[in-house]
Amino acid sequence: MIGIRDLARVRATKPHAIADALAHRRPGMPAERELIIACDHPARGALGAGAQPLAMANRVELLERCQEALARPGVTGFLGTADLIEDLTILGALEGKQVFGSMNRVGIQGASFEMDDRFASMDARGIIGSRLDGGKVLLRINLADPATAATLEATARAVGELAEAGKRIILEPFATRWEDGAAINDLSAPAMSTAIAIASGLGRTSAHTWLKLPALAHEVLSASTLPILILGGDVSSEAPYDTWANALAHPHVRGLVVGRSLLFPPDDDVARAVDNAVELL
C-alpha cells in the first residue's frame, strides 16, 4: 500500500509506475448529477484559501484533504493538473471517478503576463494518452489585451482535438479587464452572456463541450444550450449552498465543480462540507 510519504520515492525510483497506474485505473461512469472536486489552483500560483495565503502550499496536507473529499459518497470526479492527478492515481483515490486534466496556463496569478493563457499544463494528447475523461480550460476574454487572441485559437484547437477522441472539454469563460494592474473578472449579466456565447461557438464542433460557470442568474445561464457545471469559488465564511441550489435548479446545470470551498471549509470539516454539497444534488 503506497502512502503520500512514499510518492517521492516512487517518482524517483519507479517513474514508469505513473503511466502504469493511469493505464490500469478503473474509470468512472457518467452521472446524472456530478460533483467534481477541483484542485488545479497551485499550478497557477494561487495557494490561498480564505484568509490563509499559503493554505495549499503543503502538498501532503493538500493530498490528504483531496483523498478525504474524494472518498465521500456522491463525489463523481476530480479536476486537476498532471502532478495531482498522478499522485492521486498512485494512491488509488481516483478509482471509479471521472478525471479531467487542467490544460492551462502560462498566465500565473499576479504576473505582468497574467492574461497570457497559453496552455502550460496538460494538453489534449496527454489527456487522451492518460485515459482521462476530458480537459478543462480557463477562457478569459479581455478585449483590451491582444493575448486573448492566442488563447481563443488554442482553445478552439483543443475543443476539436478532444471532441475527435470523444473526450469532454470544460470551458470556463470570463469577461476580464485590467484594473490597476490586476486582471478582474466582470460577472455582470451582459459581460458573462457575451463570454458564454463566444465560448459556445469555439471549435469545429461543440458536441463534447461543457461550461464551468459561477452561480449566475438563470437568464445568464440560458445564454447557451451547452451542459453547465457550477463552480465553487474561493472560501467565504460559509459555503454558498443556497446560491448553488438555486443554480442547480436551471435545466442546463448538471452539477458542481468545487475546490477550496470544500477542501478548506471555515470549520475545517472537509467530510461535512462535501456531504452538504452532495445533498444539493
Side-chain angles (χ1 to χ4, degrees):
M1 184 73 174
I2 295 175
I4 294 175
R5 298 184 189 282
D6 299 315
L7 290 171
R9 175 183 55 80
V10 172
R11 286 180 172 277
T13 62
K14 299 178 181 178
H16 60 275
I18 295 172
D20 290 345
L22 290 166
H24 293 96
R25 183 184 67 85
R26 177 170 55 87
M29 299 299 293
E32 181 67 23
R33 295 292 245 179
E34 300 187 4
L35 176 55
I36 299 169
I37 302 299
C39 193
D40 59 345
H41 313 86
R44 59 186 177 88
L47 299 175
Q52 303 177 65
L54 295 176
M56 306 180 82
N58 187 310
R59 185 52 59 93
V60 171
E61 179 187 352
L62 183 59
L63 287 168
E64 288 173 342
R65 289 173 180 267
C66 287
Q67 283 181 300
E68 184 175 5
L70 288 163
R72 303 307 299 170
V75 174
T76 63
F78 180 77
L79 187 159
T81 46
D83 55 338
L84 282 158
I85 288 173
E86 290 166 357
D87 282 349
L88 290 167
T89 300
I90 293 171
L91 294 168
L94 299 182
E95 292 297 306
K97 306 295 184 187
Q98 291 196 299
V99 182
F100 301 91
S102 183
M103 301 179 69
N104 48 358
R105 64 195 184 177
V106 170
I108 297 170
Q109 186 181 51
S112 61
F113 51 87
E114 184 172 348
M115 279 306 306
D116 189 342
D117 280 342
R118 288 175 293 174
F119 298 168
S121 295
M122 299 198 76
D123 57 13
R125 178 183 174 187
I127 288 166
I128 295 165
S130 296
R131 298 176 63 247
L132 305 187
D133 296 281
K136 172 258 183 181
V137 174
L138 175 65
L139 182 63
R140 297 183 297 177
I141 301 168
N142 188 335
L143 301 182
D145 197 304
T148 294
T151 300
L152 289 168
E153 182 182 22
T155 301
R157 187 163 54 250
V159 168
E161 291 172 349
L162 287 176
E164 188 174 1
K167 303 288 186 180
R168 184 193 306 181
I169 186 166
I170 303 170
L171 302 184
E172 184 179 4
F174 284 104
T176 306
R177 67 179 185 275
W178 285 114
E179 188 173 297
D180 297 327
I184 304 297
N185 293 328
D186 184 349
L187 298 183
S188 68
M192 285 303 298
S193 296
T194 301
I196 291 168
I198 293 170
S200 299
L202 287 177
R204 57 179 178 264
T205 177
S206 61
H208 294 273
T209 304
W210 289 42
L211 298 176
K212 178 186 175 191
L213 299 172
L216 302 165
H218 279 213
E219 59 266 27
V220 182
L221 296 177
S222 296
S224 173
T225 57
L226 299 180
I228 296 169
L229 297 168
I230 299 299
L231 60 86
D234 200 356
V235 179
S236 61
S237 58
E238 192 67 34
Y241 293 108
D242 290 343
T243 304
W244 294 345
N246 180 64
L248 285 164
H250 191 282
H252 299 172
V253 175
R254 306 287 295 181
L256 300 169
V257 181
V258 186
R260 290 169 291 185
S261 293
L262 299 184
L263 295 174
F264 294 88
D267 64 359
D268 219 30
D269 190 337
V270 174
R272 188 176 76 88
V274 173
D275 291 348
N276 288 341
V278 170
E279 286 186 14
L280 298 179
L281 303 177

